Amino acid sequence: MAEDTQPPLAPTLMEADDQVDEGLGSDDDASDTTSLKSSVINFEIENGRRYHSFRKGAYAFPNDDDELDRMDLENHIWLLLLGGNHYIAPLVEPLKILDLGTGTGLWAIEVADKFPSAHVIGSDLSPVQPQLVPPNCEFLVDDFEQEWMWQDNTFDFIHGRLLLASVTDYPKLFQRAFAALKPGGYLEIHDIDPESYSDDGTLTSDSNSVVWGKLFKEGCARAGRAILPLEDYKRLMQDAGFTEVQEMIQKRPHNAWPKNKGLKRLGMARNSWQEANT
Ligand SMILES: C[S@@+](CC[C@H](N)C(=O)[O-])C[C@H]1O[C@@H](n2cnc3c(N)ncnc32)[C@H](O)[C@@H]1O
């Protein structure tokens, strides 16, 4: 297919922008799909951290190097959680894949390598993805909370990972994904509960990590992006029309204490980042 033979694309902006920055000249002779306008790449700096500028304020977390390192580590952690796999859906030669809120784009790049005949699109508010990517991988600047640009029945697979604190309306997100998927296509959402728990009850309600988790949830709710309780995902997907919804809940240790080697490795990965950044 023509779209599978395109050269690598730098992240592109699909949406018209009403602000023109004279410093970058007029964009009159460039289409919105070929230029990244200044309002997208002039990132905001606040308290020493860098934030997205497209739809400024929509996402509360930074997009600077420290955060991109953390996201790449998250990619590794999720691979450990999923036994080395990028997804669980029983995909058979998918042709079109969308990764919502792709972050550094590592998932999209690795999945594009896995399925060379698929066209993999990663979309995000921040154009922070690498330019050197497989020819079948493309990145777009887009807001998944706005009207989707995709026609119905476009994708075989839609993936979203760690979108907590990014979504104001989960029912709408799942409805849009349902419409954009081909019949028989899959939506896969991976996320975390940011609260901490202990199997043996030694983590008490006044421990700092428990209090942090509760305050984080409270802050997200106040910002209009409440964390979805894990038990709500399945029901909301079914409400959107999805059938055969599979739910998988796993533990994600904070440290190297677990006896189980896989969990220990996972905890060590998380711990190494926390120690390097505190
Ligand atoms: C915690 S990161 C996760 C990145 C990636 N999915 C991963 O697992 O490594 C959340 C990402 O979602 C993006 N995001 C948040 N709100 C968004 C929106 N409304 N539209 C598009 N991307 C969004 C952020 O810019 C950020 O890159």
Side-chain angles (χ1 to χ4, degrees), residues 59 71 101-103 124-125 142-145 161-163 166:
Y59 180 60
M71 281 193 226
T102 194
D124 204 286
L125 295 170
D142 187 35
D143 181 352
F144 60 64
E145 294 256 281
R161 192 175 66 188
L162 288 172
L163 301 183
S166 299

Side-chain angles (χ1 to χ4, degrees), residues 154-168:
T154 297
F155 294 100
D156 301 282
F157 186 40
I158 298 181
H159 172 263
R161 192 175 66 188
L162 288 172
L163 301 183
L164 78 163
S166 299
V167 181
T168 56

Side-chain angles (χ1 to χ4, degrees), residues 134-151:
N136 57 328
C137 182
E138 179 183 1
F139 293 114
L140 304 174
V141 175
D142 187 35
D143 181 352
F144 60 64
E145 294 256 281
Q146 302 295 314
E147 216 50 57
W148 282 24
M149 68 181 88
W150 312 108
Q151 292 189 341

Side-chain angles (χ1 to χ4, degrees), residues 17-71:
D17 181 6
D18 49 11
Q19 295 175 35
V20 175
D21 182 329
E22 296 306 326
L24 285 184
S26 162
D27 284 323
D28 284 352
D29 54 356
S31 82
D32 288 329
T33 56
T34 56
S35 69
L36 277 176
K37 295 189 180 174
S38 58
S39 59
V40 171
I41 53 180
N42 283 350
F43 296 138
E44 302 282 318
I45 306 287
E46 212 178 305
N47 299 320
R49 302 298 306 259
R50 195 184 72 185
Y51 296 86
H52 73 98
S53 50
F54 175 66
R55 301 244 188 267
K56 181 180 163 187
Y59 180 60
F61 302 90
N63 69 3
D64 51 23
D65 287 350
D66 282 351
E67 178 68 356
L68 301 187
D69 284 350
R70 187 182 73 83
M71 281 193 226

